[in-house]
Amino acid sequence: MLKKEQNDLLTQTGPGTPMGQLFRRYWLPALLTEELPEPECPPVRVKLLSERLLAWRDTQGRYALTDEFCAHRGVSLWFGRNEESGLRCSYHGWKYDHTGQCIEVPSEPTESGFCQTIKLASYPLVERGGVLWAYMGPPELQPPLPEWEFATVPSDRRFVSKRLQESNWLQALEGGIDSSHVSFLHRGEINKDPLFKGSRGNQYNLADARPVFEVVESPGGLYIGARRNAEQGNYYWRVTQWVIPCFTMIPPRADHPVHGHFWIPIDDEQCWTWSFDYKVTRPLSPLELQSLREGKGVHAACAPGTFRPLANKDNDYLMDRAAQKRGETFSGVHGFGMQDASLQESMGPVVDRTKENLVSTDNGIIMARHRLLRSVKAMVEKHVTPPGLDIAHQRCRSAAVVLPPDQPFKDAAKAALVVQDDHEHVTV
Ligand code: FES
Ligand SMILES: [Fe+2]
């Protein structure tokens, strides 16, 4: 349970808010590289942290992320003409370069120098690992480029997707670190989905619906250990990584690609669910790629040319009561991604956390909230650099292991929780 002020603080990320300041310290996934495929391609509207921006590429192919609206009289530059190293407003022809600098005001004499006084808000946008990352914070605090492992493996070993989620970012994140719902919500999918089936861990998941959580602070956030019974008194541990503010990596299953998410606020009532899958030592197989493209695993099929899932709140997520009754799916919604999103969106755009009744399996969520609150406070009041910016915090991994009962996961699985070059994740 949170007080109203705490809930507001964690869920509001617009300009000037404390949580907005925290998010603005990181490189955030903003677009898939394929959304801006070539020089002078059509610009793309991007709303991030409640700011309306435009992403585009100039004649030289340079990436730009600028204010969406013309400084003259506020027309959307999405209607602009992308021409000769700049974007020209379609209304009266003012032209801007990739840094947002106004370079031409046709109605004014060039000698007046007027256009030099006009500059749009603009943020760095860089390509890495199939993703265009934006940095919206103070230029003097810009961190090194992100080093998440999925973004550093060769491109044939990775798949990344994004989809619209019609809820605040925090309730989406809280679903991502809540390992206990897997035994319920996803139980129909776990042995069927091509990106999950066949792992020994699945049986432990299904057989033991009362996981014991052990949550330990990590350098960048939390290790969220979920313990279930395995054979001969041993424990099956699933260790999820959460790195501040919104990166998670789900523990692996057998040799399947490893997946995880970012939840990036669009505004306070919507976020982008970014999902990635990757392998360290081998390319994704044709079957894996096909399944990923179809929206299997943690991804979701979207309407062609859009990032809105085909199953969405307007069609009740294609609820299938017959499948629910047969036990084929627990909730009646198909697919991991939309099972999660449907329930998280059902809480309303921003859930009222003053009314919750939390239990011990919510420990990961409770600790994540507290760590976020502490990090924001320390950053705002004492200028302390928040966790998750250090490259070492990003070089982390999730793990699935079976351990004897006397071995704490954080010691026994220590090496498995950091990147080991050229070795796969530790998995069951
Ligand atoms: S509104 Fe853009 S040039 Fe006038
Ligand atoms: Fe889930």
Side-chain angles (χ1 to χ4, degrees):
M1 202 170 106
L2 289 180
K3 294 191 196 110
K4 182 176 182 309
E5 310 77 73
Q6 293 173 315
N7 199 32
D8 290 348
L9 189 134
L10 290 179
T11 54
Q12 296 174 3
T13 59
T17 60
M19 200 61 204
Q21 279 181 52
L22 184 104
F23 264 99
R24 284 168 176 76
R25 294 292 300 273
Y26 301 85
W27 285 102
L28 304 175
L31 299 106
L32 291 162
T33 306
E34 69 215 38
E35 291 181 76
L36 289 177
E38 62 202 11
E40 291 188 11
C41 57
V44 179
R45 298 181 187 97
V46 182
K47 192 176 184 193
L48 282 178
L49 308 177
S50 301
E51 292 186 45
R52 290 182 63 176
L53 305 167
L54 197 69
W56 51 283
R57 289 180 81 176
D58 72 2
T59 312
Q60 287 71 35
R62 291 175 294 205
Y63 290 106
L65 184 63
T66 55
D67 192 338
E68 184 189 333
F69 302 100
C70 182
H72 178 210
R73 279 169 43 211
V75 157
S76 171
L77 291 164
W78 183 80
F79 293 91
R81 300 175 55 81
N82 196 339
E83 55 179 33
E84 295 156 44
S85 309
L87 195 62
R88 191 185 290 283
C89 179
S90 286
Y91 214 5
H92 315 95
W94 291 26
K95 186 175 175 183
Y96 303 91
D97 74 9
H98 72 289
T99 68
Q101 178 62 50
C102 184
I103 50 174
E104 209 185 316
V105 174
S107 62
E108 298 296 301
T110 322
E111 321 77 78
S112 74
F114 173 72
C115 73
Q116 280 138 39
T117 66
I118 304 288
K119 191 170 188 296
L120 300 174
S122 155
Y123 302 115
L125 187 68
V126 299
E127 197 282 328
R128 194 165 175 83
V131 174
L132 297 175
W133 305 80
Y135 174 72
M136 296 168 65
E140 67 281 10
L141 296 175
Q142 183 176 318
L145 292 183
E147 281 285 335
W148 309 105
E149 191 178 32
F150 81 89
T152 63
V153 297
S155 59
D156 59 356
R157 300 180 191 185
R158 147 180 85 232
F159 180 83
V160 186
S161 74
K162 75 171 197 188
R163 64 173 183 267
L164 179 69
Q165 174 145 348
E166 296 173 65
S167 83
N168 182 263
W169 78 279
L170 186 61
Q171 66 212 51
L173 166 74
E174 289 177 350
I177 57 176
D178 163 26
S179 204
S180 71
H181 76 269
V182 177
S183 305
F184 299 94
L185 179 61
H186 303 314
R187 69 181 302 125
E189 240 70 13
I190 217 165
N191 280 328
K192 280 201 307 260
D193 188 284
L195 296 157
F196 279 71
K197 67 183 183 188
S199 155
R200 186 152 56 92
N202 295 352
Q203 306 328 315
Y204 305 135
N205 259 117
L206 294 175
D208 186 353
R210 281 211 193 112
V212 175
F213 275 71
E214 206 171 298
V215 188
V216 180
E217 288 217 351
S218 69
L222 296 175
Y223 303 124
I224 299 153
R227 192 188 87 191
R228 290 177 172 87
N229 294 321
E231 298 87 356
Q232 287 138 21
N234 289 328
Y235 290 142
Y236 169 62
W237 284 98
R238 292 181 62 71
V239 187
T240 301
Q241 290 269 5
W242 168 61
V243 180
I244 289 178
C246 62
F247 172 89
T248 61
M249 198 186 298
I250 301 164
R253 294 178 190 274
D255 184 42
H256 291 303
V258 183
H259 38 255
H261 300 283
F262 293 91
W263 288 278
I264 304 297
I266 296 172
D267 51 33
D268 295 343
E269 301 199 341
Q270 305 178 87
C271 64
W272 289 118
T273 298
W274 283 85
S275 307
F276 60 83
D277 263 82
Y278 73 107
K279 288 299 286 178
V280 179
T281 62
R282 66 163 173 87
L284 301 179
S285 71
L287 178 65
E288 286 167 345
L289 273 174
Q290 188 195 335
S291 305
L292 292 160
R293 289 193 187 114
E294 287 170 357
K296 301 272 178 17
V298 299
H299 304 263
C302 289
T306 80
F307 297 103
R308 191 171 195 221
L310 285 170
N312 56 58
K313 70 176 178 191
D314 294 343
N315 55 26
D316 277 332
Y317 309 91
L318 306 174
M319 166 61 79
D320 183 346
R321 292 286 177 199
Q324 185 185 36
K325 196 147 258 175
R326 286 195 300 272
E328 219 171 285
T329 71
F330 198 69
S331 76
V333 172
H334 290 281
F336 290 90
M338 293 322 295
Q339 285 165 358
D340 287 326
S342 57
L343 301 193
Q344 291 156 13
E345 292 180 7
S346 79
M347 299 158 139
V350 186
V351 69
D352 181 353
R353 292 181 176 78
T354 65
K355 292 191 177 142
E356 300 167 328
N357 294 287
L358 300 180
V359 292
S360 64
T361 52
D362 298 313
N363 274 347
I365 290 169
I366 295 167
M367 286 180 67
R369 293 174 184 175
H370 283 155
R371 186 114 200 238
L372 279 170
L373 288 168
R374 264 189 290 139
S375 304
V376 175
K377 195 167 152 49
M379 183 197 71
V380 172
E381 291 176 5
K382 303 203 179 104
H383 306 289
V384 176
T385 303
L389 283 169
D390 191 324
I391 293 306
H393 300 179
Q394 299 172 10
R395 304 282 287 164
C396 65
R397 279 186 178 177
S398 57
V401 286
V402 172
L403 296 173
D406 57 342
Q407 291 190 13
F409 83 81
K410 64 177 192 301
D411 302 327
K414 198 170 178 193
L417 296 173
V418 291
V419 168
Q420 311 283 335
D421 286 324
D422 305 322
H423 290 277
E424 288 292 352
H425 284 63
V426 175
T427 177
V428 175

